[in-house]
């Protein structure tokens, strides 16, 4: 009995030792974790408060973890290994500006402080792909349209996007430029329109485009000319409800008319062979109606006695701008700042039924990406057929 008890105790002792050894081995041989302090360092005069929706992406061989940042620092506990830290956010009051940063190949084998340099970058997201303003039938101006494309690799939303049409096609500086108003663009004669929606009602997938028609009708039938555009399947329509001659085609949703300074303009962006076009987005939380109602956002032409007011938009609200010049204009003068459009594209011949279309920069897995260097003269082709080749 005594020997049996001693033998049992010996077995238990051995088992206890094995278990204890196994536990220690697991702690000693497994990956260790260390505190990591991530600090964003900002270029120029930027600060964390200039951006919104800032996220940190921490990537290792295992995968990527995403963290929403409330400040420019974050304390983490990471297992030993090599990591990359990337940052992305949206600049609060600049339509196509983002916060971006990267610190790659950081070894974490002890307590580490990681400095991630971040800067403001401009990204091509929603841009104008096609401008059809050279109507096919003499005197027939109802079949004009714009095509807008998502040129990014992420879903973009049309909700709240504003379209307006400055006079453009100028041969010398305009009155605003001559009077020192260089960072605001005045809308032209006519209307300012906006896509409806509260934020994420109208998604546009990467590479997808929409047609915005002045009149969503079959203009081949209405005009009696086969060269005119059939826009009965357009995605959106600009219905100017203040003009008695306008027809609302009910099968196509309408953009909102935010503002107008000329109730006699029966179509949006009329300018025959010369006009400029802008896509703009207001800062988050600001509605188009509130912007239009603020008297600070409209003004008469400076340096003149005219009382006609024009809504003005800061250049930083611009998503995309394209200046279309009369082909006979030998001395064109830029409508926009260089970061929005360095030089315009000469229009095709009026009544030719052609359009201006953005060049394809590359094709990836069958998807076209469109050139966007903020220079219409380089980015666009004129005299293009209605159907993309």
């Amino acid at each position: 009995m005594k020997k049996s008890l001693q033998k049992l105790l010996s077995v238990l002792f051995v088992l206890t030792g094995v278990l204890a050894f196994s536990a220690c081995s697991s702690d000693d041989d497994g990956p260790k974790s260390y505190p990591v302090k991530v600090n964003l360092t900002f270029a120029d005069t930027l600060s964390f408060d200039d951006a919104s929706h800032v996220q940190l992406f921490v990537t290792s061989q295992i995968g990527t973890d995403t963290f929403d940042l409330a400040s420019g620092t974050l304390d983490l506990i990471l297992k030993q290994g090599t990591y990359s830290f990337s940052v992305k956010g949206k600049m609060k009051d600049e339509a196509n500006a983002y916060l971006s940063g990267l610190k790659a190949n950081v070894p974490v084998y002890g307590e580490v402080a990681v400095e991630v340099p971040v800067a403001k970058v401009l990204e091509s997201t929603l841009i104008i792909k096609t401008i059809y303003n050279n109507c096919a039938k003499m005197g027939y101006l109802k079949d004009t349209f714009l095509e807008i494309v998502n040129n990014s690799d992420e879903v973009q939303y049309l909700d709240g996007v504003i379209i307006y049409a400055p006079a453009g096609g100028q041969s010398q500086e305009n009155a605003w430029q001559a009077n020192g108003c260089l960072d605001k663009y005045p809308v032209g004669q006519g209307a300012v329109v906006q896509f409806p929606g509260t934020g994420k009602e109208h998604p546009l997938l990467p590479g997808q485009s929409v047609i915005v028609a002045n009149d969503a009708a079959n203009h081949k039938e209405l005009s009696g000319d086969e060269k005119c555009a059939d826009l009965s399947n357009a995605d959106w329509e600009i219905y100017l409800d203040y003009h008695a001659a306008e027809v609302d085609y009910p099968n196509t949703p309408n953009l909102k008319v935010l503002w107008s300074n000329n109730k006699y303009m029966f179509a949006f962006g009329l300018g025959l062979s010369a006009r400029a076009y802008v896509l703009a987005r207001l800062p988050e939380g600001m509605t188009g109606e509130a912007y239009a109602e603020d008297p600070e956002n409209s003004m008469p032409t400076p340096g003149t006695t005219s009382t006609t007011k024009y809504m003005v938009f800061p250049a930083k609200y611009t998503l995309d701008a394209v200046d279309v010049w009369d082909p006979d204009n030998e001395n064109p003068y830029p409508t926009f700042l260089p970061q929005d459009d360095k030089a315009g594209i000469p229009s095709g011949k009026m009544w030719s039924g052609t359009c201006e279309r953005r060049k394809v920069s590359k094709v990836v897995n069958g998807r076209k990406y469109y050139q966007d260097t903020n220079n219409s003269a380089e980015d666009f082709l004129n005299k293009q057929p209605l159907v993309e080749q």
Side-chain angles (χ1 to χ4, degrees):
M1 179 71 177
K2 189 174 181 178
K3 289 184 178 180
S4 298
L5 180 59
Q6 287 178 336
K7 189 177 293 185
L8 178 60
L9 289 173
S10 298
V11 172
L12 289 174
F13 177 79
V14 172
L15 287 174
T16 302
V18 171
L19 290 172
F21 178 77
S22 298
C24 291
S25 297
S26 177
D27 289 342
D28 291 342
D29 296 341
K32 295 182 179 180
S33 297
Y34 299 99
V36 176
K37 179 178 282 293
V38 181
N39 182 52
L40 309 188
T41 58
F42 295 87
D44 304 322
T45 59
L46 291 178
S47 72
F48 184 85
D49 292 336
D50 294 326
S52 63
H53 308 299
V54 182
Q55 292 183 309
L56 173 69
F57 303 91
V58 181
T59 302
S60 67
Q61 289 183 335
I62 299 174
T64 299
D65 290 317
T66 303
F67 302 89
D68 294 323
L69 298 184
S71 70
T73 62
L74 184 65
D75 291 315
L76 299 171
I77 301 294
L78 299 178
K79 291 181 178 180
Q80 64 184 29
T82 302
Y83 291 83
S84 290
F85 300 83
S86 59
V87 175
K88 186 163 186 180
K90 178 71 184 69
M91 301 304 296
K92 288 181 178 177
D93 63 348
E94 297 185 57
N96 66 344
Y98 293 81
L99 197 68
S100 181
L102 174 65
K103 184 71 172 181
N105 301 320
V106 178
V108 177
Y109 292 96
E111 185 173 347
V112 179
V114 181
E115 302 287 326
V116 182
V118 295
K120 182 175 71 174
V121 296
L122 301 180
E123 292 189 9
S124 174
T125 54
L126 294 174
I127 58 174
I128 297 170
K129 171 185 168 183
T130 308
I131 299 170
Y132 176 72
N133 61 338
N134 301 312
C135 305
K137 182 179 180 179
M138 181 77 71
Y140 190 84
L141 295 167
K142 303 288 281 184
D143 63 338
T144 53
F145 68 87
L146 297 175
E147 184 178 7
I148 300 168
V149 66
N150 178 2
N151 206 42
S152 76
D153 291 324
E154 298 179 358
V155 175
Q156 302 294 325
Y157 295 89
L158 294 169
D159 304 51
V161 171
I162 289 171
I163 310 177
Y164 65 96
Q170 53 198 45
S171 298
Q172 59 187 10
E173 60 183 5
N174 61 39
W176 278 267
Q177 293 166 333
N179 284 273
C181 187
L182 301 177
D183 61 345
K184 291 184 178 180
Y185 301 142
V187 306
Q189 289 279 339
V192 176
V193 296
Q194 184 180 39
F195 285 91
T198 57
K200 293 189 176 182
E201 295 178 32
H202 306 294
L204 199 62
L205 300 179
Q208 186 178 9
S209 65
V210 291
I211 296 291
V212 180
N214 252 316
D215 285 275
N218 186 344
H219 297 281
K220 296 179 184 294
E221 295 178 356
L222 290 181
S223 69
D225 192 323
E226 279 294 316
K227 296 192 299 294
C228 288
D230 179 0
L231 298 175
S232 57
N233 292 316
D235 302 283
W236 294 90
E237 180 181 43
I238 300 176
Y239 171 57
L240 305 178
D241 54 4
Y242 55 76
H243 197 285
E246 270 282 74
V247 177
D248 184 10
Y249 294 90
N251 292 330
T252 306
N254 294 327
L255 272 63
K256 297 187 295 184
V257 178
L258 283 183
W259 188 87
S260 175
N261 62 0
N262 187 342
K263 303 297 184 183
Y264 296 99
M265 294 282 282
F266 64 89
F268 174 82
L270 290 181
L272 300 181
S273 60
R275 192 79 191 231
Y277 302 89
V278 178
L279 302 183
R281 191 187 292 279
L282 299 174
E284 188 173 352
M286 183 184 298
T287 67
E289 289 79 5
Y291 190 86
E293 291 171 2
D294 188 340
E296 294 295 320
N297 296 327
S298 60
M299 59 184 291
T301 306
T304 73
T305 58
S306 173
T307 58
T308 300
K309 288 189 174 183
Y310 296 81
M311 187 181 287
V312 293
F313 287 92
K316 62 185 179 181
Y317 293 175
T318 301
L319 281 168
D320 190 35
V322 181
D323 197 357
V324 182
W325 292 338
D326 188 318
D328 296 327
N329 185 350
E330 297 180 356
N331 298 295
Y333 190 92
T335 297
F336 302 109
L337 295 174
Q339 66 265 27
D340 295 320
D341 188 18
K342 295 181 181 67
I345 173 70
S347 171
K349 185 178 179 182
M350 198 58 196
W351 318 121
S352 64
T354 60
C355 63
E356 292 78 53
R357 182 173 288 115
R358 198 176 287 267
K359 296 177 182 177
V360 175
S361 60
K362 62 181 179 180
V363 179
V364 179
N365 295 326
R367 178 204 158 172
K368 296 178 180 178
Y369 288 81
Y370 293 90
Q371 184 168 304
D372 185 21
T373 65
N374 295 322
N375 184 338
S376 294
E378 295 295 330
D379 293 342
F380 277 80
L381 298 169
N382 60 7
K383 305 175 184 178
Q384 297 300 294
L386 278 177
V387 179
E388 186 176 11
Q389 304 298 307

